[in-house]
Amino acid sequence: MSEEKASKKWLVPAIAGVVLLTLTLIALFREPVELDPNTPEGTVQTFLQAIADEDYELAHDQLAAEQQEDCEVADIARAGPYESFSATLGDVEQFGDETIVHVTMRMGTDGGLGSGYSFDPGPYRLEAEGTDWKITEVGWPYFLFECSL
């Protein structure tokens, strides 16, 4: 086989490798999409980001009035995750004034590629309160024992 044919044989895998590496780096270092906080999915994003930032007052503000009475800021702090996490918002189902936002959680995400585990914590239910959307039910792990949401 001539040198020209041998070098062409490696050209396609080399280009594919560079493209794969580039896409991986983009995925790892991109910023999350900022959703409109006046939407149900934006409210869930604000809630989860507040939990990640340990801003439990902001997380508490995303709850509906009845849930705020039943669950204090300190309850959210005690029940929050004890390891890093990321969340991916999934399907959104709207039923009049109620909306369900599905979320996939990935816990233990600070250990590098392939670390952690993913799970479905259950739906986040929201209802319209005036012009805002407020969370009426939160999936695991946040209020499993501390609050009854």
Side-chain angles (χ1 to χ4, degrees):
M1 183 182 307
S2 71
E3 273 187 45
E4 186 177 316
K5 285 184 179 180
S7 66
K8 286 183 181 179
K9 192 174 187 179
W10 286 100
L11 186 60
V12 172
I15 291 172
V18 170
V19 169
L20 182 60
L21 177 63
T22 302
L23 292 174
T24 301
L25 290 173
I26 289 170
L28 288 174
F29 296 109
R30 71 178 180 190
E31 292 293 319
V33 174
E34 292 290 326
L35 300 173
D36 181 354
N38 296 319
T39 64
E41 51 269 47
T43 300
V44 172
Q45 182 183 46
T46 299
F47 175 79
L48 292 172
Q49 187 62 55
I51 296 286
D53 294 341
E54 298 181 4
D55 186 348
Y56 302 115
E57 287 188 28
L58 179 58
H60 189 258
D61 289 344
Q62 305 313 303
L63 301 178
E66 184 177 329
Q67 281 68 31
Q68 286 182 5
E69 290 175 16
D70 293 341
C71 185
E72 297 179 9
V73 173
D75 295 326
I76 297 173
R78 277 193 304 273
Y82 300 105
E83 59 186 314
S84 62
F85 73 92
S86 64
T88 303
L89 301 181
D91 292 337
V92 177
E93 301 174 72
Q94 211 158 18
F95 307 98
D97 286 346
E98 181 181 70
T99 298
I100 297 172
V101 178
H102 296 274
V103 176
T104 301
M105 303 290 292
R106 183 156 182 82
M107 303 298 286
T109 58
D110 59 354
L113 288 175
S115 68
Y117 57 95
S118 296
F119 65 97
D120 177 355
Y124 286 71
R125 293 182 185 277
L126 298 93
E127 289 183 5
E129 281 188 8
T131 59
D132 296 327
W133 286 94
K134 296 294 183 172
I135 298 171
T136 59
E137 184 180 319
V138 176
W140 187 88
Y142 298 112
F143 300 103
L144 189 60
F145 300 112
E146 301 298 330
C147 300
S148 57
L149 291 180

